[in-house]
Amino acid sequence: MCGSAAWVRPAPRTRGRTTTLTAPYHGRMSFLRRRSATPAGPDFDVLAMDPGDWPGNLGAGLLPAPDGTCQGVFLRYDLFGGRGPAMIIGNLPEGSPARELAEGEVPFEVAQLLIALENEEEVTVVGAEDVPVMQGDNLLIVRRLKLSESRISCVQFDRSDNVLVTIAAWDRPITDDLYALLKPLPAELFQQG
């Protein structure tokens, strides 16, 4: 099945090269198909790395619900020279169907990272641990997922507005330094029009 994420170009205020991804997400989540209106954008700020702080290519995707509301925003950070995606950061609001996972099922961001890498290996969650991390003056309880594919690092944490942030990285550990780079990007950056 093919799930559609509407790819948008963040506003051109960045120093990094920004590309709009043309291919939709492909996966088994049929509820992500666009059945009516295209979502205008999120009603929440997106916690991610500023596109201007990333030296490679960047794509942003919106997950539409059947009623046209935005059920998630994903930023895909690609390495220099198109060598493939290095990281996907997702923000899923409360009630987003992409948050509903079966036992052992990987987060949506991990599945999309594998698809982008054209890696067809079946990956599962084999464990998790909660780790306290400081982000500025805020204490985050970060859930580190252990996956059957050791080259993928994945962490999750809940924001105070109940938006779930998931970071999936390929072939690089997610260190505490990354949390210092996360900042709220205004919802207006991700409006389609």
Side-chain angles (χ1 to χ4, degrees):
M1 288 186 181
C2 172
S4 267
W7 288 100
V8 298
R9 185 188 302 268
R13 64 180 180 85
T14 67
R15 296 183 307 276
R17 291 174 296 160
T18 304
T19 58
T20 301
L21 303 178
T22 55
Y25 282 133
H26 295 278
R28 20 188 208 91
M29 298 189 179
S30 60
F31 55 78
L32 297 178
R33 289 177 193 250
R34 188 182 306 126
R35 297 195 176 102
S36 57
T38 299
D43 58 2
F44 54 89
D45 286 351
V46 175
L47 192 63
M49 290 189 297
D50 191 302
D53 295 337
W54 182 257
N57 296 331
L58 174 73
L62 304 179
L63 286 183
D67 64 359
T69 59
C70 177
Q71 294 298 306
V73 175
F74 300 87
L75 275 76
R76 177 175 136 173
Y77 300 88
D78 290 353
L79 292 174
F80 276 124
R83 292 196 298 260
M87 187 180 303
I88 292 181
I89 299 179
N91 286 247
L92 296 173
E94 198 170 25
S96 172
R99 290 174 65 154
E100 299 169 11
L101 301 175
E103 183 73 25
E105 186 178 2
V106 297
F108 186 71
E109 295 80 357
V110 172
Q112 298 311 316
L113 184 62
L114 287 166
I115 289 167
L117 291 163
E118 299 180 355
N119 183 332
E120 297 181 1
E121 179 181 349
E122 183 167 339
V123 177
T124 58
V125 176
V126 296
E129 66 171 328
D130 290 341
V131 179
V133 171
M134 291 302 294
Q135 191 213 16
D137 295 331
N138 298 318
L139 176 65
L140 302 177
I141 302 302
V142 173
R143 185 171 179 239
R144 291 189 180 274
L145 301 183
K146 184 177 179 185
L147 304 173
S148 58
E149 168 53 83
S150 62
R151 290 173 292 179
I152 299 176
S153 300
C154 182
V155 297
Q156 296 182 308
F157 58 89
D158 287 307
R159 295 172 19 176
S160 59
D161 57 358
N162 296 320
V163 172
L164 175 67
V165 177
T166 301
I167 305 170
W170 176 255
D171 208 19
R172 60 186 58 209
I174 297 173
T175 64
D176 289 359
D177 295 346
L178 175 63
Y179 302 106
L181 298 175
L182 299 178
K183 58 187 72 173
L185 305 177
E188 294 74 34
L189 275 181
F190 304 96
Q191 298 293 322
Q192 276 199 176

